[in-house]
Amino acid sequence: MRHDAIEHLVGLLSKLPGLGRRSARRAVLRMLQDPPTRMLPLAEALTAAASAVRPCQLCGNLDSTNPCRVCSDPARDQDVICIVEGVAELWALERAHAHHGLYHVLGGLLSALGGTGPADLSIQPLMARLAEGKVREVILALPATVDGAATAHVLAERLAGTGVQITRLAQGVPIGGALDVLDDGTLAAALKSRRAI
Amino acid sequence: MRHDAIEHLVGLLSKLPGLGRRSARRAVLRMLQDPPTRMLPLAEALTAAASAVRPCQLCGNLDSTNPCRVCSDPARDQDVICIVEGVAELWALERAHAHHGLYHVLGGLLSALGGTGPADLSIQPLMARLAEGKVREVILALPATVDGAATAHVLAERLAGTGVQITRLAQGVPIGGALDVLDDGTLAAALKSRRAI
Ligand SMILES: [Zn+2]
Ligand SMILES: [Zn+2]
């Protein structure tokens, strides 16, 4: 029997975070009730995003323009860079309207256990951005976890000689909590009461 | 600013049952980490399913073959037809391996409130199938709700003159419960202890 189009689709959808097999089946059935309006637009949006979206050459954000919309917005404060673990955290801060400067996506956290060292993160590109001399403040918006603290420590050491002010999020961030699941108010408050390291 | 590829995709995904906006964003981020292996295959599967999957001309099941795999399987009992509200219920019974005959999808339930009358359901095609004289038993696998009972009542009346035995699911089906969220064992037990109307 040839590969079944429905089961194949259910299998792919059920791999997405948040969708189990049962929800994937329900989603497929819903879409199959009217494929031209419910299925093909999603296929086209996926194809379009796959071809249009790239990591920003400056900050690492994912966007369909390069440099990304944040980096190319002249209204943003060009002298404050907020360092985030990943794009999810960047998006969460944007949704909170908490930060009006630029970003830098590390692409992970230092992790002795996970075998992630400084060379695996986007630290050299960050140093290059700072070397241009336009940045006044770097905000470390990293999670209050062991790995987050280790990463902040190493970054603070590297940045010590640059003359740039280093701040971090206030302790409004829950210990052990992921940044991208916090409500906007908590994020905004933690950012507002950031303090010098 | 032109329409954003990411926000458009998140919007479409968040309309799927079971996916909120937050899960849709997480799913998009996950896929954007490797579009060629995580995004394009899903786009292709959606396009393939949209073009291949059609309602079965015999029973109303959704499948990429027509007649569907159930109807064209010579090993299935050709003389027992299980009547279901929709394709979700057909798939649930198939997953339970509870029924070895054929199906007939009504496409809904009679509903005075919802304004669904007998002409809105696939009742005439069912009568045509029975008129061929090969069917010995019709199982009404309808939910134990007001609309389900009303639909079973009308179907029993229509089928009374055909000489076909009419049975319904045993009262193992919870009152007010949707069939497609039941566990396989409950479905199989209810089908096994079906009784004549
Ligand atoms: Zn950027
Ligand atoms: Zn069929």
Side-chain angles (χ1 to χ4, degrees):
Chain A
M1 192 179 292
R2 71 199 181 75
H3 193 62
D4 178 34
I6 294 176
E7 276 309 304
H8 179 55
L9 179 55
V10 168
L12 286 175
L13 272 177
S14 66
K15 280 187 208 153
L16 295 182
L19 266 189
R21 217 169 166 81
R22 172 163 285 169
S23 329
R25 261 193 313 256
R26 285 179 56 219
V28 168
L29 260 182
R30 175 80 65 88
M31 288 190 283
L32 280 172
Q33 281 161 12
D34 193 8
T37 68
R38 297 185 187 180
M39 212 154 206
L40 295 183
L42 182 55
E44 282 155 22
L46 285 162
T47 309
S51 85
V53 176
R54 293 282 175 275
C56 171
Q57 66 198 65
L58 298 177
C59 74
N61 185 17
L62 287 165
D63 203 347
S64 49
T65 66
N66 196 354
C68 75
R69 243 156 285 214
V70 175
C71 287
S72 49
D73 181 353
R76 311 278 306 210
D77 300 334
Q78 307 290 313
D79 56 356
V80 185
I81 290 185
C82 183
I83 313 278
V84 289
E85 173 184 356
V87 176
E89 288 74 23
L90 190 162
W91 289 3
L93 286 161
E94 280 299 284
R95 285 198 301 279
H97 302 291
H99 175 57
H100 308 104
L102 305 177
Y103 292 95
H104 193 83
V105 176
L106 283 181
L109 296 174
L110 295 179
S111 166
L113 255 72
T116 308
D120 301 314
L121 304 182
S122 175
I123 296 179
Q124 275 314 314
L126 171 65
M127 301 310 286
R129 287 179 80 181
L130 299 180
E132 291 175 22
K134 293 176 194 155
V135 176
R136 179 181 53 79
E137 178 182 358
V138 162
I139 305 169
L140 302 179
L142 299 172
T145 59
V146 172
D147 290 349
T151 308
H153 181 75
V154 167
L155 283 174
E157 277 184 349
R158 298 274 181 114
L159 299 173
T162 61
V164 174
Q165 186 185 19
I166 310 166
T167 57
R168 62 168 173 78
L169 293 187
Q171 289 293 359
V173 181
I175 303 296
L179 282 194
D180 66 337
V181 298
L182 291 183
D183 64 290
D184 296 351
T186 307
L187 272 175
L191 197 81
K192 200 171 172 201
S193 55
R194 67 187 182 268
R195 59 182 183 76
I197 286 182
Chain B
M1 192 181 291
R2 71 198 183 74
H3 193 62
D4 179 33
I6 294 176
E7 277 308 305
H8 179 55
L9 179 55
V10 168
L12 286 175
L13 272 177
S14 66
K15 282 188 207 152
L16 296 182
L19 266 189
R21 213 165 170 84
R22 172 164 285 168
S23 328
R25 258 192 316 255
R26 285 179 55 220
V28 168
L29 259 182
R30 175 81 64 90
M31 288 190 283
L32 280 172
Q33 280 161 14
D34 193 7
T37 67
R38 297 184 185 178
M39 212 153 206
L40 295 182
L42 181 55
E44 282 154 22
L46 285 162
T47 309
S51 85
V53 176
R54 292 283 175 273
C56 171
Q57 65 198 67
L58 298 177
C59 75
N61 186 16
L62 286 165
D63 204 346
S64 50
T65 66
N66 195 354
C68 75
R69 244 157 284 214
V70 175
C71 286
S72 49
D73 181 353
R76 310 281 304 213
D77 300 334
Q78 307 290 312
D79 56 356
V80 185
I81 289 185
C82 184
I83 312 278
V84 289
E85 174 184 355
V87 175
E89 288 73 24
L90 190 163
W91 288 3
L93 286 160
E94 281 299 284
R95 286 198 301 278
H97 302 290
H99 175 57
H100 307 105
L102 305 177
Y103 292 95
H104 192 84
V105 175
L106 284 181
L109 296 174
L110 295 179
S111 166
L113 255 71
T116 309
D120 300 313
L121 304 182
S122 176
I123 296 180
Q124 276 314 315
L126 171 64
M127 301 309 287
R129 287 179 79 181
L130 299 181
E132 292 174 22
K134 293 175 195 155
V135 176
R136 178 181 54 77
E137 178 182 358
V138 162
I139 306 169
L140 303 179
L142 299 173
T145 58
V146 171
D147 290 348
T151 308
H153 181 76
V154 166
L155 283 174
E157 276 184 350
R158 298 273 181 114
L159 299 173
T162 61
V164 173
Q165 186 185 18
I166 309 166
T167 56
R168 62 169 174 77
L169 294 187
Q171 290 292 358
V173 182
I175 303 296
L179 283 194
D180 65 338
V181 298
L182 291 183
D183 65 292
D184 296 351
T186 306
L187 272 175
L191 198 82
K192 200 172 173 201
S193 56
R194 67 186 183 268
R195 60 182 184 76
I197 286 182

